[in-house]
Amino acid sequence: MAELCARLRRWFTGKGPGRPVLPPSSLVSIGKAIETTSDDEFDCEQTNRLLDQFAEAALRGEDSAPWMDLIQAHLDRCPDCQAEFEALLHVLETEDT
Amino acid sequence: MPEARDNDQWLSDLRSDGPIQAAALADLRAILLAGLQRGLTKWLDAYSPELENLAQDATQEGLVRILDRLDSFEGRSRFTTWAYKVAIHVALSKLRRKEWGNVSLDEMLDPNPEKGQGISVISPQVGPEMSFEQKETLERMAQILEEELTDRQMALMQAVVLQEIPMEAIAQKMGVKRNALYKMMHDARKKLKKRLMLEGLELEDVLSSSGEGKTPQGHVVQPGDG
């Protein structure tokens, strides 16, 4: 019960005691995520809205439009959207024509 | 064999009623089912009952969503590509719910709960292979993380960036949309980047010498993988 209370207190009040050490490799990964952050990133919904168009363009070998860069940047940092893109691409690549 | 239709024909037939709509729905169902059976093989074994059940469920739910959202199709791709996109989103959301259903939010966000550890960060114990300047940079970054992020934000950062737990799985447990979680993370990253800039902290040297160049690529992480 005491541990549960401590965890709830930590959860709701912000910082708590007993913090673990993150290894340098983890800090570097977080640093990379911070360093590559930009103000005008596409979010998941913006990316999903254009994902079908992006997948067809990718299959045609087009990759130079500015909006495609924004989608690619989102896919590079969002494994969830990247998974949906890979599945869609695979479906299109294996489609009977 | 489904009838060949262009985008306008798909929209017209699906908005129609009677046998025309029924035929279009049957064709679309066959196309989506076959597509999901191919597209989900990265996560489930081909021809397995798990894949078949998921493909059937997602096709059914996907069809309902597609009919509900026909007006949002803007014609920038083939209609079937747009429909695949909707069905894949449904399928992978279902897959994540199933895979992570038995994992609590606390377990996702607390890497070592059994050790009673918290979910933040203190100065790193860096190895001798790093230069003094690089060590200093990482230690300063760790301090900034600790100062700027709450335990909850730090836990989310660890879960998503380090453990690669799908945001969809975390969002489902939190009762929010994945997009809201992404925006929350984006806000935290922007705040940290601004602070690093204010401090004049350059990460480039540390990042370029670490070999940590790649952002995690897309795959659904299984519970317990980390």
Side-chain angles (χ1 to χ4, degrees):
Chain A
M1 180 57 83
E3 170 61 16
L4 178 64
C5 289
R7 290 179 72 184
L8 284 174
R9 193 181 313 116
R10 207 166 59 222
W11 190 251
F12 285 110
T13 61
K15 303 182 188 308
R19 296 172 183 181
V21 174
L22 279 183
S25 59
S26 296
L27 281 171
V28 167
S29 295
I30 293 175
K32 177 79 179 171
I34 297 168
E35 187 77 1
T36 55
T37 295
S38 72
D39 287 344
D40 58 355
E41 285 176 20
F42 268 12
D43 59 31
C44 299
E45 286 181 3
Q46 290 170 309
T47 299
N48 183 268
R49 185 166 162 257
L50 294 169
L51 202 62
D52 46 339
Q53 190 181 358
F54 181 80
E56 289 187 353
L59 277 180
R60 291 192 299 267
E62 299 169 12
D63 59 3
S64 56
W67 67 271
M68 294 185 74
D69 290 345
L70 284 168
I71 291 196
Q72 188 58 59
H74 180 87
L75 296 181
D76 285 344
R77 76 163 66 252
C78 178
D80 296 72
C81 288
Q82 174 73 18
E84 291 182 19
F85 169 65
E86 287 184 6
L88 180 57
L89 202 58
H90 184 64
V91 170
L92 296 178
E93 284 171 340
T94 55
E95 198 175 34
D96 292 331
T97 52
Chain B
M1 189 74 178
E3 177 187 335
R5 294 175 176 84
D6 62 18
N7 287 355
D8 289 340
Q9 193 68 52
W10 272 116
L11 292 175
S12 168
D13 289 358
L14 289 171
R15 284 176 175 141
S16 146
D17 53 18
I20 293 177
Q21 186 194 44
L25 275 173
D27 285 351
L28 188 56
R29 183 193 310 274
I31 289 169
L32 292 181
L33 183 59
L36 289 177
Q37 286 166 338
R38 302 192 305 277
L40 297 174
T41 52
K42 181 172 177 181
W43 297 277
L44 297 169
D45 291 336
Y47 309 112
S48 65
E50 291 81 11
L51 187 147
E52 187 59 30
N53 289 338
L54 180 61
Q56 293 276 2
D57 288 351
T59 295
Q60 192 57 38
E61 193 171 322
L63 280 173
V64 173
R65 283 199 195 192
I66 287 163
L67 284 180
D68 194 42
R69 298 176 186 179
L70 280 181
D71 288 344
S72 70
F73 175 62
E74 297 173 89
R76 290 188 305 252
S77 68
R78 286 187 300 144
F79 178 80
T80 48
T81 304
W82 177 79
Y84 283 140
K85 175 184 76 174
V86 175
I88 286 169
H89 181 81
V90 170
L92 290 183
S93 294
K94 282 180 174 291
L95 185 62
R96 286 162 191 142
R97 184 171 289 115
K98 188 177 177 196
E99 288 177 337
W100 293 85
N102 293 327
V103 183
S104 72
L105 182 61
D106 271 357
E107 287 171 310
M108 288 180 187
L109 299 187
D110 196 343
N112 298 295
E114 73 282 359
K115 295 176 185 169
Q117 292 181 318
I119 41 178
S120 190
V121 60
I122 60 172
S123 299
Q125 305 298 306
V126 291
E129 69 281 1
M130 301 192 93
S131 71
F132 177 75
E133 288 77 16
Q134 289 173 326
K135 290 178 189 178
E136 272 202 332
T137 300
L138 277 188
E139 288 191 3
R140 186 70 195 115
M141 192 187 104
Q143 285 173 6
I144 290 173
L145 288 177
E146 179 157 352
E147 289 166 14
E148 294 288 342
L149 300 183
T150 64
D151 281 357
R152 188 181 178 105
Q153 287 173 321
M154 190 63 219
L156 285 171
M157 188 78 78
Q158 284 183 256
V160 174
V161 177
L162 303 181
Q163 296 178 269
E164 299 181 39
I165 296 175
M167 279 195 287
E168 181 73 32
I170 299 173
Q172 286 171 2
K173 294 289 180 184
M174 291 174 70
V176 299
K177 285 189 171 182
R178 182 169 102 214
N179 202 50
L181 186 56
Y182 184 88
K183 286 181 171 180
M184 202 186 302
M185 297 283 295
H186 185 211
D187 287 343
R189 286 189 281 107
K190 281 195 294 187
K191 183 171 143 186
L192 289 166
K193 187 169 186 178
K194 189 176 173 184
R195 175 77 189 275
L196 293 179
M197 287 175 71
L198 280 174
E199 300 262 340
L201 202 61
E202 299 282 348
L203 296 183
E204 198 171 315
D205 182 39
V206 180
L207 300 182
S208 61
S209 65
S210 68
E212 284 273 344
K214 292 190 71 176
T215 313
Q217 290 302 300
H219 61 278
V220 174
V221 179
Q222 307 293 324
D225 272 3

